[in-house]
């Protein structure tokens, strides 16, 4: 009887192990990343087997669920008669009445099998697989494929049956889980990774700006008219040469009606042997003109297609309101980019204490939000100066709070 009891216990443990195997299959398929397996597939047979399993995801999940269900039923069916009766016999051998010993043995068997099933057939394999989904997906790939070959006919029967039920309710079955991510999903992932300490501050800022980039228009990145040096159509080459010797390498040409008519470039000025009194319009190039409401990705494409580094920005009335350069667009993602021609400036945002910041008036609202970690009111403005004016309804006085 003792040998039979040990055999019965071994059978129960094997069923629990089989149940854990199917739980691992389920969670490894849900947690494995297809792109990572594709990277390993060229030199790894197990990775190729894992990819085959992912390509048959619904079938494999159905197989895992079938295995979990059957082993769960077997544990309940086998534990009581095999383990319960064995325990009852042992208790009876020490003088415990038969009815009591069988009852106690049955309860003990159910309790022990439930605890063992929860620990070793559910929680342990689940938590291990969640911690190492790629490792388990590759480790069990071959055995998973073997299981599919042996019981594929039964798995397909249940899979087709469940799909037929779905279609009755007007739901179209899918063969794979959508593993793509939307922009909002990516933003949530970046935020979570930053909060968990997996992304340093600089990397987080770049990724956050990159995700926001398609949502911004030219007005967010442009240099406004008040800060742009321009020339008029009557400006001479001599005057432009003098200006370029100390300032910029490109100047928009703006006529009396505030329309951009062209751009004078340093390379054209240096390559010209025309007299100094010649008007600069004689060597100007056609200006790339974009509306201030154009999305930033479209501006990048526009400048790239025209092989230019600067575009003139116009408002809805056609008037010149500023410029946007490739450097401005790069700064939308990378932050301030300073070269040898830039005048050294102070930081746009300087923290004074936990609740006060010193901010330049032309700092974009979203940059302030990133720096202080709080959302600011939304409105028809791009900068903190616009926010203050909109809030006060007038131009604020110096020192006003």
């Amino acid at each position: 009887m003792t040998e039979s009891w040990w055999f019965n216990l071994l059978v129960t443990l094997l069923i629990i192990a089989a149940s854990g195997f199917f739980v691992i299959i389920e969670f490894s398929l849900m947690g494995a990343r297809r792109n990572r397996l594709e990277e390993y597939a060229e030199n790894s047979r197990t990775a190729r087997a894992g990819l085959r399993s992912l390509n048959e995801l619904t079938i494999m999940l159905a197989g895992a669920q079938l295995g979990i269900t059957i082993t769960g039923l077997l544990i309940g069916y086998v534990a009581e008669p095999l383990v319960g009766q064995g325990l009852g016999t042992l208790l009876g051998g020490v003088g415990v009445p038969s009815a009591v010993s069988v009852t106690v043995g049955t309860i003990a068997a159910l309790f022990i099998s439930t605890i063992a099933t929860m620990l070793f057939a559910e929680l342990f394999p689940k938590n291990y697989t969640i911690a190492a989904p790629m490792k388990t997906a590759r480790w069990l790939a071959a055995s998973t494929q073997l299981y599919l070959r042996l019981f594929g006919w039964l798995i397909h029967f249940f899979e087709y049956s469940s799909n037929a039920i779905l279609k009755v309710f007007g739901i179209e079955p899918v063969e794979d889980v959508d593993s793509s991510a939307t922009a909002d999903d990516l933003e949530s992932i970046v935020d979570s990774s930053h909060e968990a300490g997996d992304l340093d501050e600089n990397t987080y800022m770049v990724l956050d700006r990159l995700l926001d980039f398609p949502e911004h228009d030219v007005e967010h990145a442009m240099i406004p008219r008040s800060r742009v040096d321009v020339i008029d159509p009557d400006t001479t080459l001599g005057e432009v040469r003098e200006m370029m010797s100390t300032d910029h390498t490109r100047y928009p040409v703006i006529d009396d009606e505030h329309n951009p008519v062209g751009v004078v470039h340093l390379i054209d000025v240096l390559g010209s042997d025309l007299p100094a009194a010649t008007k600069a319009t004689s060597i100007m190039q056609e200006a790339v003109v974009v509306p201030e409401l154009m999305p930033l990705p479209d501006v990048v494409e526009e400048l790239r297609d025209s092989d230019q580094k600067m575009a003139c920005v116009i408002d809805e009335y056609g008037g010149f309101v500023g410029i946007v350069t490739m450097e401005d667009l790069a700064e939308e993602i990378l932050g301030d980019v300073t070269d040898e021609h830039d005048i050294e400036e102070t930081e746009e945002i300087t923290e004074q204490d936990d609740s006060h910041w010193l901010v330049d008036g032309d700092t974009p609202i979203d940059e302030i939000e990133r720096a202080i970690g709080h959302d600011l009111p939304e409105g028809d403005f791009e900068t903190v100066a616009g926010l203050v004016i909109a809030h006060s309804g007038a131009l604020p006085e110096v020192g006003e709070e």
Side-chain angles (χ1 to χ4, degrees):
M1 179 63 67
T2 302
E3 293 180 358
S4 175
W5 186 85
W6 283 110
F7 174 77
N8 296 341
L9 179 61
L10 178 61
V11 171
T12 303
L13 294 177
L14 288 176
I15 296 174
I16 292 174
S19 181
F21 168 76
F22 293 118
V23 170
I24 290 177
I25 290 178
E26 180 180 21
F27 281 92
S28 65
L29 290 174
M30 296 300 295
R33 296 182 181 179
R34 183 182 297 274
N35 61 334
R36 295 288 300 277
L37 286 175
E38 289 173 346
E39 292 177 7
Y40 297 132
E42 184 176 351
N43 302 313
S44 172
R45 185 177 60 183
T46 57
R48 289 192 293 270
L51 275 177
R52 286 195 296 271
S53 296
L54 282 182
N55 292 334
E56 301 175 298
L57 183 60
T58 57
I59 296 297
M60 295 308 305
L61 289 177
Q65 286 296 318
L66 176 63
I68 293 171
T69 301
I70 292 177
T71 53
L73 293 173
L74 287 175
I75 290 173
Y77 178 77
V78 172
E80 190 279 328
L82 296 185
V83 180
Q85 290 181 12
L87 288 173
T89 301
L90 290 176
L91 292 173
V94 295
V96 178
S98 177
V100 176
S101 63
V102 171
T103 301
V104 172
T106 300
I107 295 174
L110 291 176
F111 178 77
I112 293 172
S113 62
T114 300
I115 295 297
T117 301
M118 285 296 297
L119 287 177
F120 299 106
E122 293 288 344
L123 298 179
F124 172 75
K126 181 198 71 173
N127 293 339
Y128 176 79
T129 307
I130 291 175
M134 295 298 298
K135 181 179 179 180
T136 51
R138 296 172 62 184
W139 177 47
L140 294 180
S143 57
T144 301
Q145 289 294 311
L146 177 61
Y147 167 64
L148 183 61
R149 291 192 191 98
L150 293 176
F151 298 98
W153 59 273
L154 183 58
I155 297 170
H156 280 85
F157 168 75
F158 285 110
E159 179 67 12
Y160 292 148
S161 300
S162 65
N163 287 344
I165 296 173
L166 283 177
K167 291 180 180 179
V168 169
F169 289 95
I171 302 173
E172 188 63 30
V174 296
E175 295 299 324
D176 198 356
V177 175
D178 185 10
S179 57
S180 60
T182 64
D184 290 338
D185 295 332
L186 292 175
E187 186 172 351
S188 177
I189 292 171
V190 170
D191 289 340
S192 299
S193 299
H194 178 245
E195 292 173 1
D198 295 327
L199 288 178
D200 61 71
E201 190 67 25
N202 290 334
T203 304
Y204 165 71
M205 294 291 280
V206 170
L207 291 175
D208 193 50
R209 293 189 187 107
L210 181 61
L211 292 172
D212 287 343
F213 187 80
E215 300 177 3
H216 293 313
D217 53 32
V218 176
E219 186 180 11
H220 187 273
M222 74 178 189
I223 301 173
R225 173 66 181 87
S226 59
R227 294 172 51 192
V228 177
D229 293 330
V230 302
I231 61 175
D232 59 56
D234 294 328
T235 304
T236 65
L237 284 177
E239 293 171 331
V240 172
R241 288 192 183 99
E242 184 176 352
M243 295 168 64
M244 287 184 172
S245 65
T246 57
D247 294 317
H248 310 293
T249 60
R250 300 178 186 86
Y251 283 91
V253 182
I254 309 300
D255 64 18
D256 294 337
E257 297 181 354
H258 306 289
N259 297 316
V261 296
V263 177
V264 177
H265 295 262
L266 174 63
I267 189 172
D268 296 324
V269 173
L270 294 177
S272 173
D273 55 2
L274 295 174
T278 305
K279 292 183 178 181
T281 52
S282 62
I283 62 168
M284 73 178 181
Q285 297 184 22
E286 182 180 356
V288 177
V289 179
V290 298
E292 61 180 340
L293 297 180
M294 176 181 280
L296 292 184
D298 294 344
V299 181
V300 174
E301 184 176 356
E302 186 80 17
L303 289 174
R304 186 172 55 223
D305 291 345
S306 60
D307 195 25
Q308 296 293 332
K309 299 293 187 288
M310 183 183 77
C312 295
V313 184
I314 59 174
D315 60 17
E316 58 186 310
Y317 304 104
F320 176 74
V321 293
I323 63 171
V324 62
T325 68
M326 275 296 192
E327 181 178 319
D328 298 324
L329 296 172
E331 288 180 344
E332 286 293 300
I333 298 174
L334 302 176
D336 287 335
V337 177
T338 305
D339 58 31
E340 66 273 16
H341 303 294
D342 292 332
I343 299 175
E344 185 175 352
E345 298 179 352
T346 59
E347 292 290 334
E348 289 184 332
I349 306 172
T350 304
E351 184 175 1
Q352 303 295 297
D353 54 49
D354 291 341
S355 59
H356 292 82
W357 290 265
L358 184 62
V359 181
D360 288 347
D362 59 356
T363 304
I365 292 294
D366 60 317
E367 288 296 318
I368 299 176
E369 291 177 335
R370 292 189 183 96
I372 68 177
H374 296 284
D375 292 335
L376 296 177
E378 297 181 356
D380 190 20
F381 43 78
E382 292 286 345
T383 67
V384 67
L387 169 62
V388 172
I389 293 173
H391 180 71
S392 63
L395 291 175
E397 299 290 339
V398 178
E400 181 180 340
E401 296 185 2

